Amino acid sequence: MALSEAIPALLVLADGSAYRGWSFGAMGTTVGEVVFNTGMTGYQEVLTDPSYTGQIVIFTYPELGNTGVNPEDEESVRPHVKGVIARNICHQPSNWRSTQPLTEYLKQQQIPGIFGIDTRGLTRKIRIDGAMNGGISTTILEETELLELVQAAPSMTGLNLVKQVTTKKVYEWSEPTPEVWEFNSQSSAKQREALTVVALDFGVKRNILRRLASYGCKVVVVPAHTTAEEILAYNPDGIFLSNGPGDPAAVTEGITTAKSLLESKKPMFGICMGHQILGHALGAQTFKLKFGHRGLNQPAGLQTRVEITSQNHSFAIDPDSLPSAMVEVSHLNLNDQTVAGVRHKSLPIFSVQYHPEASPGPHDADYLFEQFVLEMQTARQKGEI
């Protein structure tokens, strides 16, 4: 597309900062929390990750759309971001898996985007000043008018967005990671007796479900409002708490359910929002990070082991609020020393703040799925479940 054919777009942040660029994707106006993702790949997985609900994403990689989009890489049924910010846009992708250009995909999905702005400078601003609400528009090009809409939008703190993305009905998932993409020969489901896992859906990604299935699990996905009694009626070998968007402290139903499930002493595994929900259930508190962690190269570990991890979250567990007699920290984010993993000292219950399914991202932490399976097998052998 010639620049002379491009449609002007405006980005305004809640502090009044304004950036003028060009439109791609859908026309119109959108408002959300502006955050940044530092990954060099995987933009389609980011767009369709329910954890990004309510957010406008800055992609720091300098050009977006090179590989197009395809149905296989979607993490849910649709994109969940409110808007997209990029430096440059590729209108004609070059990839054998591509079925559609990113620009057309966003247009069909009614997701506005802006390109042609200094994403490096914008990212530095968010790092210095913190994540804040912002708005993108092709129809409101007057800064003060768009600023009024932005400043009227609610803060992410206190928002329960899980109810927007959780499944409406119970369903079973049995599809493993496709053989062509399987990277761990030890995860063959054929080698294991089927284990039943009930996954509490706060906004689950498909590749988390695929990894559980690859490790021999029959996964029953239930809505976030499902009670502990309803979950235990499935007689599960283990319980999984999924990722999801918004403020974990506002997901009071999920916290109550997780707290009740602790009494069953069944193996439990949480990822991202599930990690934070489990933290609350154990008596801890969470707080909002200045700009969050979103990228594919976040180091996490403790003592001698370091994992390079995929992360996407705004909130973290307050380490001082953890009941140290009951829970121990298993992982730290080694960039800022925030809690990246916890483990119960006497029960087969653990969680991590990052994404071991890593779609996109490295596979360093895939062993956590195997650890969950081993906990369930041990409990079954002991007759505890």
Side-chain angles (χ1 to χ4, degrees):
M1 176 189 294
L3 198 57
S4 59
E5 301 174 0
I7 298 171
L10 173 66
L11 165 67
V12 172
L13 301 182
D15 66 354
S17 303
Y19 302 80
R20 294 189 179 273
W22 309 100
S23 169
F24 75 99
M27 300 292 103
T29 302
T30 188
V31 175
E33 183 183 48
V34 180
V35 299
F36 61 87
N37 184 291
T38 58
M40 296 177 67
T41 62
Y43 56 79
Q44 188 177 352
E45 290 93 328
V46 169
L47 297 174
T48 55
D49 180 351
S51 295
Y52 280 100
T53 297
Q55 295 177 324
I56 296 173
V57 182
I58 309 163
F59 287 90
T60 63
Y61 190 71
E63 186 164 73
L64 206 63
N66 306 66
T67 55
V69 298
N70 70 84
E72 294 177 355
D73 289 347
E74 293 194 330
E75 289 294 338
S76 62
V77 295
R78 61 179 176 84
H80 293 274
V81 300
K82 295 294 292 290
V84 181
I85 302 170
R87 179 68 182 91
N88 296 319
I89 291 297
C90 176
H91 293 273
Q92 296 179 327
S94 177
N95 185 276
W96 65 275
R97 299 178 67 234
S98 175
T99 59
Q100 188 180 28
L102 173 64
T103 49
E104 291 183 10
Y105 175 76
L106 292 177
K107 190 176 296 183
Q108 287 182 358
Q109 298 293 335
Q110 295 299 300
I111 307 292
I114 184 172
F115 78 99
I117 67 173
D118 180 5
T119 51
R120 180 179 294 235
L122 178 56
T123 298
R124 284 177 59 85
K125 178 177 179 55
I126 296 298
R127 285 182 60 90
I128 293 168
D129 297 336
M132 67 185 79
N133 285 340
I136 298 172
S137 184
T138 59
T139 56
I140 302 174
L141 299 179
E142 207 286 312
E143 295 174 13
T144 57
E145 184 180 353
L146 185 54
L147 179 60
E148 289 180 5
L149 290 179
V150 171
Q151 292 182 336
S155 167
M156 187 63 71
T157 301
L159 281 186
N160 181 354
L161 299 177
V162 167
K163 55 189 176 183
Q164 297 183 24
V165 297
T166 188
T167 181
K168 298 293 190 294
K169 60 182 180 179
V170 177
Y171 65 94
E172 289 189 13
W173 184 280
S174 59
E175 175 193 325
T177 300
E179 187 175 350
V180 67
W181 301 116
E182 181 55 67
F183 51 86
N184 186 350
S185 60
Q186 301 301 313
S187 71
S188 172
K190 298 178 182 178
Q191 299 176 11
R192 293 177 168 80
E193 183 179 358
L195 296 164
T196 299
V197 173
V198 173
L200 201 54
D201 177 17
F202 300 119
V204 71
K205 292 173 62 180
R206 288 174 176 170
N207 273 298
I208 291 177
L209 300 177
R210 290 189 181 111
R211 292 317 293 156
L212 288 169
S214 292
Y215 276 98
C217 299
K218 169 191 168 185
V219 187
V220 180
V221 185
V222 300
H225 57 75
T226 307
T227 65
E229 292 75 19
E230 291 170 325
I231 290 170
L232 294 174
Y234 289 97
N235 191 28
D237 295 291
I239 298 156
F240 175 73
L241 307 177
S242 88
N243 62 294
D247 186 343
V251 190
T252 53
E253 286 183 321
I255 295 169
T256 298
T257 298
K259 191 171 183 177
S260 296
L261 289 169
L262 291 174
E263 298 175 8
S264 73
K265 300 182 179 180
K266 287 181 177 288
M268 195 180 305
F269 177 27
I271 289 176
C272 202
M273 168 71 78
H275 161 79
Q276 298 159 359
I277 293 288
L278 181 60
H280 276 282
L282 291 167
Q285 300 296 315
T286 53
F287 67 97
K288 194 173 190 296
L289 296 164
K290 185 175 182 180
F291 49 80
H293 303 146
R294 296 174 185 84
L296 313 181
N297 59 350
Q298 296 277 334
L302 201 64
Q303 299 175 336
T304 59
R305 182 185 177 98
V306 176
E307 301 160 20
I308 303 303
T309 68
S310 176
Q311 299 199 13
N312 166 29
H313 62 107
S314 295
F315 294 82
I317 290 177
D318 178 358
D320 295 331
S321 68
L322 280 168
S324 57
M326 185 192 334
V327 185
E328 62 184 353
V329 174
S330 61
H331 299 77
L332 294 173
N333 182 304
L334 299 178
N335 283 335
D336 62 8
Q337 302 299 301
T338 52
V339 176
V342 298
R343 179 171 50 230
H344 199 284
K345 290 183 176 180
S346 60
L347 298 176
I349 295 169
F350 65 99
S351 63
V352 289
Q353 182 62 79
Y354 49 91
H355 284 258
E357 86 287 350
S359 296
H363 300 142
D364 296 28
D366 188 69
Y367 73 91
L368 291 167
F369 292 103
E370 184 172 15
Q371 180 178 321
F372 184 41
V373 167
L374 291 175
E375 295 282 14
M376 289 188 287
Q377 290 174 334
T378 299
R380 175 181 281 190
Q381 290 167 4
K382 292 179 178 179
E384 296 176 355
I385 55 178

